[in-house]
């Protein structure tokens, strides 16, 4: 678009923005760039986003869920490795989709292209309103618990302290992401390096323990293993939950430098790296703890540090705090992009698709996600909520992999710089179907029905606001949008062709 036309649009936008920008003679190239997100994320930052979001607190605190389901060390390690392979296969499907449709928003643009507006809307409704902010809140609460614990020796920190600290961390992370994409990337890179450092420390310590002959827990590793199909399935379910985050880079495709190269390359490097880390860290744990001790430990990495790293055992809880903060930052970074894209497509209120005139960040979307996350901190237990909604996440993963297959036949003309064998997409669809149905069949509860009703309830808003676009809704939103726009100094983004 020509500079003059952009200037004219800014000057006439709601009759308000022109006063806050420079005069025509003072327009610069920087102001022209203000209406689109900038390509500030390189290969290293992309890898750090994947690794930093996947590795949260789980591998340090409670990797025992997989062990509890498998019943022995051998199958436990096999499940961790197999989950890494399955995550890589899923991410390869996303690499094809992300280089074929170079739009941000994760699954959203792929579902839109393959199935149409309704499916994409239901995905954005569920993910923006529940999945992303509740996940952000849970990670922030984990950070708060481990940050507050040293100040309350011998007892659990008060709930009100943890919730206030979690809310403060959410506000800080949202502020960082609103200020600058580069600053958010630097924060992500730093905390990813920190968590990889402590993983290296644990792995090296484990290797030393094994070299000293501490292999009693690593012999006869399949003895007493569970042979139940349901138990093995539950182990995979818990393992894949720990790997969740492998699709995060697809949420920021428009901000990637050279996405055709960096998207698949970051996936190929990042996810196998996490897989190797997970397997080696588990081996390290078993070099000093029996399976029973792993199951009984409230925080496995802390117990490991107390036994092996003394007097430097304080490093482990400190770096768990770093790890959770980095994962929360990555969650906020990607959630804001989905909200921004949904607003741009008309599936959320338009103000959420506006970009800061000075910072080039989707600040309204980031702030909206942060506010929802703080609301989710207030209830007594949101882990139950996210557990029941996790089946919906895997339903959308399966639909996205199926979208790849569908578009092989319906959109043959699209350029595919990366093309994976269709059997891989088929395998991801089958695994997703299992992970959606397994928890419901294993333990049917009314909560799953409530979750489904909530997802479908999005249609109540879709009909008047998206499909029909009633004039009264625009009359209500226009003054609200104008005042928020003036308050936050934001303008509409340019549409991505």
């Amino acid at each position: 678009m020509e500079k003059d036309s952009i200037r004219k649009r800014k000057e006439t936008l709601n009759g308000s923005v022109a006063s806050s920008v420079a005069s025509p003679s003072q327009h610069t190239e920087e102001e022209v760039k203000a209406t689109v997100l900038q390509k500030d994320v390189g290969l290293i930052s992309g890898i750090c986003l994947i690794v930093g979001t996947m590795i949260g607190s789980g591998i340090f605190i409670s990797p025992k869920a997989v062990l509890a389901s498998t019943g022995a060390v051998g199958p436990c390690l096999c499940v961790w490795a197999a989950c890494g392979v399955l995550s890589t296969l899923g991410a390869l499907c996303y690499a094809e989709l992300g280089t074929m449709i170079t739009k941000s928003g994760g699954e959203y643009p792929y579902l839109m292209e393959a199935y149409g507006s309704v499916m994409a809307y239901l995905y954005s409704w569920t993910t923006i309103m529940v999945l992303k902010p509740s996940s952000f809140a849970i990670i922030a609460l984990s950070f708060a618990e481990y940050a507050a614990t040293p100040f309350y020796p011998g007892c659990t920190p008060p709930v009100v302290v943890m919730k206030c600290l979690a809310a403060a961390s959410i506000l800080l992370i949202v502020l960082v992401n609103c200020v600058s994409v580069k600053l958010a990337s630097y924060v992500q890179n730093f905390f990813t390096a920190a968590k990889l450092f402590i993983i290296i420390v644990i792995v090296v310590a484990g290797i030393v323990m094994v070299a000293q002959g501490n292999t009693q827990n690593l012999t006869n590793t399949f003895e007493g293993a569970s042979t139940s199909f349901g138990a093995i399935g539950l182990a995979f379910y818990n393992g894949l939950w720990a790997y969740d985050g492998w699709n995060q880079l697809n949420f920021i495709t428009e901000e990637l430098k050279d996405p055709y190269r960096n998207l698949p390359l970051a996936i190929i490097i990042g996810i196998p790296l996490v897989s190797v880390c997970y397997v080696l860290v588990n081996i390290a744990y078993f070099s000093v703890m029996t399976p029973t001790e792993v199951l009984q430990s409230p925080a496995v990495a802390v117990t490991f540090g107390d036994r092996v790293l003394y007097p430097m055992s304080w490093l482990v809880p400190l770096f768990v705090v770093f790890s959770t903060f980095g994962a929360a930052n990555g969650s906020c970074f990607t959630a804001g992009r989905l909200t921004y894209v949904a607003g741009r497509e008309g599936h959320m209120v338009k103000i959420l698709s506006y970009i800061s005139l000075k910072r080039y960040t989707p600040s309204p979307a980031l702030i909206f996600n942060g506010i929802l996350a703080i609301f989710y901190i207030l209830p007594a237990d949101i882990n139950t909520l996210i557990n029941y909604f996790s089946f919906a996440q895997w339903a959308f993963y399966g639909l996205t992999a199926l979208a790849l297959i569908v578009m092989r036949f319906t959109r043959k003309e699209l350029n595919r710089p990366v093309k994976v064998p269709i059997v891989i997409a088929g395998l991801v669809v089958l695994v997703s179907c299992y992970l959606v149905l397994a928890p419901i069949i294993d333990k049917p509860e009314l909560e799953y029905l409530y979750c489904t009703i909530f997802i479908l309830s999005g249609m109540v808003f879709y009909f008047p606001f998206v499909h029909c676009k009633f004039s009264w809704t625009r009359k209500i939103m226009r003054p609200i949008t104008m005042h928020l726009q003036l308050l936050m100094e934001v303008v509409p983004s340019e549409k991505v062709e």
Side-chain angles (χ1 to χ4, degrees):
M1 181 178 289
E2 295 296 328
K3 187 187 297 185
D4 289 340
S5 64
I6 293 177
R7 185 187 70 241
K8 183 178 179 182
R9 181 175 53 76
K10 288 182 182 177
E11 290 175 343
T12 58
L13 183 64
N14 291 329
S16 61
V17 178
S19 61
S20 65
V21 298
S23 63
S25 61
Q26 293 173 318
H27 276 277
T28 64
E29 183 63 27
E30 184 177 52
E31 289 171 354
V32 174
K33 294 194 302 181
T35 54
V36 291
L37 296 179
Q38 305 302 300
K39 292 184 177 292
D40 289 330
V41 182
L43 176 61
I44 298 299
S45 295
I47 294 171
C48 287
L49 181 64
I50 292 175
V51 174
T53 310
M54 289 177 70
I55 303 176
S57 59
I59 191 64
F60 302 112
I61 298 171
S62 57
K64 53 193 177 186
V66 176
L67 177 63
S69 299
T70 54
V73 174
C76 173
L77 296 177
C78 290
V79 167
W80 279 109
C83 287
V85 172
L86 287 172
S87 298
T88 304
L89 295 180
L92 288 174
C93 295
Y94 277 58
E96 176 176 329
L97 290 165
T99 52
M100 180 174 67
I101 302 169
T102 54
K103 291 184 179 181
S104 295
E107 293 85 351
Y108 180 81
Y110 318 140
L111 296 173
M112 176 80 80
E113 198 73 33
Y115 308 116
S117 178
V118 172
M119 184 63 72
Y121 173 81
L122 290 177
Y123 167 77
S124 64
W125 162 257
T126 307
T127 307
I128 292 170
M129 301 305 294
V130 177
L131 293 177
K132 282 291 186 182
S134 60
S135 176
F136 190 9
I138 287 173
I139 300 169
L141 285 168
S142 297
F143 160 80
E145 181 179 356
Y146 276 81
T149 296
F151 299 98
Y152 296 88
C155 64
T156 304
V159 173
V160 66
V161 171
M162 289 193 293
K163 291 190 175 184
C164 287
L165 189 55
S169 68
I170 289 172
L171 292 173
L172 177 60
I173 290 168
V174 169
L175 176 63
V176 166
N177 279 268
C178 287
V179 167
S180 168
V181 173
K182 286 185 177 181
L183 177 60
S185 294
Y186 291 150
V187 169
Q188 190 67 28
N189 295 354
F190 172 80
F191 285 104
T192 299
K195 68 182 69 181
L196 287 177
F197 170 77
I198 196 61
I199 281 176
I200 290 171
V201 169
I202 293 173
V203 168
V204 170
I207 291 172
V208 171
M209 297 303 292
V210 170
Q212 291 176 348
N214 294 281
T215 58
Q216 60 272 20
N217 298 321
L218 298 171
T219 55
N220 299 321
T221 54
F222 285 85
E223 187 176 340
S226 173
T227 56
S228 165
F229 181 76
I232 297 297
L234 188 60
F236 270 95
Y237 194 83
N238 288 309
L240 287 167
W241 178 256
Y243 278 95
D244 198 40
W246 47 264
N247 61 329
Q248 294 302 291
L249 203 55
N250 290 70
F251 282 88
I252 62 162
T253 309
E254 292 170 27
E255 294 167 81
L256 271 178
K257 299 174 182 175
D258 191 6
Y260 300 110
R261 170 186 177 270
N262 289 338
L263 177 63
L265 198 56
I267 286 170
I268 291 169
I269 295 171
I271 298 173
L273 174 62
V274 173
S275 305
V276 171
C277 288
Y278 278 0
V279 173
L280 292 179
V281 166
N282 274 278
I283 291 173
Y285 291 156
F286 290 122
S287 69
V288 296
M289 286 182 276
T290 65
T292 301
E293 289 173 330
V294 169
L295 291 173
Q296 292 176 345
S297 173
V300 179
V302 175
T303 304
F304 178 90
D306 290 340
R307 295 189 181 184
V308 178
L309 301 178
Y310 187 82
M312 301 295 289
S313 58
W314 56 269
L315 278 174
V316 175
L318 173 64
F319 278 86
V320 170
V321 170
F322 287 171
S323 180
T324 48
F325 190 87
N329 182 72
S331 176
C332 175
F333 193 96
T334 56
R337 272 57 185 179
L338 172 60
T339 308
Y340 156 78
V341 173
R344 188 176 66 190
E345 298 294 333
H347 285 174
M348 289 285 158
V349 292
K350 279 294 180 184
I351 188 66
L352 296 177
S353 68
Y354 286 13
I355 294 175
S356 171
L357 193 61
K358 298 176 180 177
R359 306 290 183 180
Y360 314 142
T361 58
S363 49
L366 291 164
I367 293 168
F368 180 73
N369 181 60
I371 291 171
L372 286 179
I374 290 174
F375 276 122
Y376 280 115
I377 284 175
L378 300 178
D381 181 24
I382 58 170
N383 287 283
T384 304
L385 173 74
I386 198 70
N387 287 340
Y388 286 125
F389 265 95
S390 59
F391 85 96
Q393 185 69 76
W394 277 102
F396 289 121
Y397 286 160
L399 287 168
T400 305
L402 183 62
L404 185 149
I405 299 172
V406 169
M407 285 190 284
R408 285 282 180 91
F409 299 97
T410 61
R411 301 302 303 274
K412 295 180 180 179
E413 76 283 2
L414 290 176
N415 180 38
R416 293 172 169 82
V418 176
K419 193 171 184 178
V420 300
I422 201 167
V423 67
I424 291 179
L427 180 61
V428 174
V429 171
L430 290 175
V431 170
S432 300
C433 288
Y434 174 77
L435 291 171
V436 169
L437 298 174
I440 299 173
I441 295 173
D442 182 60
K443 193 177 180 182
E445 295 183 15
L446 277 176
E447 281 77 3
Y448 292 116
L449 178 61
Y450 299 152
C451 293
T452 304
I453 292 172
F454 174 83
I455 294 169
L456 296 177
S457 70
M459 296 304 296
V460 174
F461 299 96
Y462 179 84
F463 181 74
F465 296 113
V466 180
H467 182 70
C468 294
K469 296 182 180 178
F470 291 141
S471 59
W472 60 267
T473 62
R474 292 196 294 273
K475 288 178 181 178
I476 292 172
M477 287 306 301
R478 190 175 292 116
I480 297 173
T481 300
M482 184 181 72
H483 286 93
L484 288 173
Q485 189 180 352
L486 286 168
L487 177 66
M488 294 188 283
E489 294 185 338
V490 291
V491 294
S493 63
E494 295 299 326
K495 287 190 176 181
V496 177
E497 297 298 332

